Amino acid sequence: VATERWWGVAVALLCSWGVWRLWRSRKRSAWVLAGALAVGWPAAALWAWSGGLGLPALWPPGVVLGALLAVSALELKLLRDLKQRALMTLSHYVAKPVLQQLYALGLSQSLQPQLREITVLVVDMRGYTQLTEAMPLDKMAVLVRDYLERITEPVLAFEGTLDRYSGDGLIALWGAPLPRADHADMALRCARELQLRVRAWNAERVALGEEAIGIRIGIESGQALVGDLGSSARSVFTALGTCINTASRLQELGRQLDCDLVVGPATAALSSLDLQPLAVVEVKGLRSALQVFTWKS
């Protein structure tokens, strides 16, 4: 009998601890029930003990608590799995320090579409069609994979966000999903590193008797709507705004300007790095001409 009573006390304490855990989890659906059981279970334990009923009197609330704990644990696991999948997806697009901050702030809040001041970098391979037109598909795949690897690494190293790949290039941005004051300088530093990485890769290619690879980079800053702008079928973190289109046009203008880096006036105004005027150009889609910049010689 004494053993049953001690078992009853142990179950009562366990039930009370479980209710406290449910309360701490802040599941609103369990608040009322948890509050009632938190008061009722210790009282039931004392009543059972004083009346000599022992452990069987505590079975009903024990079963309820077990069910609540099982449901709570399942919900927690599902939530963690969902967050883990979201983090794994985002890890391909943002740098690790940014990812950690996103997790701390809450993914749903961080990915909600909102207006941000950003800097956009667009990079493309120069002469891709001529370079690959006679190339076997397997060799073309190796070339593109190696190329994308080398231009993606600097984006993540400089804490940029990979918006998307565009065939033989990519679009990256700074200032979202987390705002930062130095978004223009970070994009320009990334551009410099991109040029250095491709230059080093070309030295390896030429040493192996392969053709060197050229790139063109366009950069511009401005306001954009950034966030999860996908559909119900697929989440897509991206940005919408004039600066994205302008950066892409500047990259294309690099061909006629014979320049690997073309920087828009908004980025130049924000940057503290050494830039020099390059040309005044007409940009498709814009009403007025733009003064564009590049690295200072």
Side-chain angles (χ1 to χ4, degrees):
V1 176
T3 302
E4 280 190 346
R5 288 179 177 178
W6 283 113
W7 271 109
V9 172
V11 172
L13 292 173
L14 179 62
C15 290
S16 299
W17 177 84
V19 171
W20 176 78
R21 292 291 296 176
L22 280 174
W23 189 276
R24 285 293 299 271
S25 71
R26 298 186 179 181
K27 296 181 182 300
R28 294 182 179 180
S29 60
W31 280 13
V32 176
L33 179 59
L37 293 177
V39 175
W41 287 351
L46 292 173
W47 176 80
W49 193 5
S50 62
L53 296 177
L55 185 61
L58 299 176
W59 286 355
V63 171
V64 173
L65 174 63
L68 287 172
L69 287 174
V71 171
S72 179
L74 179 60
E75 289 181 352
L76 182 60
K77 183 180 184 305
L78 292 174
L79 181 60
R80 284 179 175 174
D81 289 346
L82 181 62
K83 283 188 175 182
Q84 187 64 31
R85 287 196 296 271
L87 288 172
M88 286 296 294
T89 300
L90 280 171
S91 67
H92 298 290
Y93 297 92
V94 301
K96 188 175 180 180
V98 177
L99 189 62
Q100 292 171 342
Q101 293 181 63
L102 285 176
Y103 185 79
L105 291 172
L107 293 177
S108 59
Q109 178 183 349
S110 302
L111 301 183
Q112 187 72 22
Q114 50 195 306
L115 289 174
R116 287 280 171 80
E117 290 292 331
I118 65 171
T119 296
V120 182
L121 177 150
V122 179
V123 58
D124 199 26
M125 185 186 294
R126 191 172 63 220
Y128 174 77
T129 303
Q130 293 80 2
L131 181 66
T132 60
E133 60 181 351
M135 189 179 290
L137 289 178
D138 56 345
K139 189 175 180 181
M140 184 190 305
V142 171
L143 171 66
V144 172
R145 190 182 303 114
D146 289 348
Y147 167 73
L148 292 179
E149 187 73 25
R150 282 167 173 79
I151 65 173
T152 301
E153 288 175 353
V155 170
L156 299 181
F158 283 87
E159 299 184 5
T161 298
L162 178 61
D163 185 309
R164 59 187 178 272
Y165 290 115
S166 55
D168 56 323
L170 61 77
I171 300 174
L173 52 93
W174 283 259
L178 296 178
R180 60 184 308 155
D182 62 345
H183 53 86
D185 280 350
M186 291 296 283
L188 285 166
R189 290 190 177 103
C190 176
R192 180 177 289 160
E193 182 64 20
L194 276 170
Q195 292 173 313
L196 293 175
R197 294 277 185 107
V198 172
R199 191 178 303 163
W201 184 38
N202 280 332
E204 297 173 8
R205 289 179 57 82
V206 171
L208 294 173
E210 297 176 329
E211 190 174 346
I213 301 295
I215 60 171
R216 290 190 304 270
I217 302 171
I219 299 177
E220 182 57 318
S221 304
Q223 192 174 72
L225 182 65
V226 185
D228 185 354
L229 298 171
S231 66
S232 59
R234 183 182 179 186
S235 294
V236 178
F237 184 86
T238 188
L240 299 175
T242 303
C243 58
I244 294 94
N245 298 329
T246 302
S248 180
R249 299 297 185 192
L250 295 181
Q251 176 273 128
E252 294 170 359
L253 283 170
R255 181 186 296 109
Q256 67 186 60
L257 295 174
D258 193 25
C259 183
D260 291 345
L261 175 69
V262 182
V263 181
T267 300
L270 292 171
S271 176
S272 62
L273 303 182
D274 290 334
L275 298 172
Q276 66 180 15
L278 175 64
V280 176
V281 296
E282 298 286 341
V283 178
K284 185 179 179 180
L286 298 182
R287 295 179 180 178
S288 56
L290 295 182
Q291 171 70 67
V292 295
F293 301 78
T294 191
W295 295 126
K296 184 172 290 186
S297 301

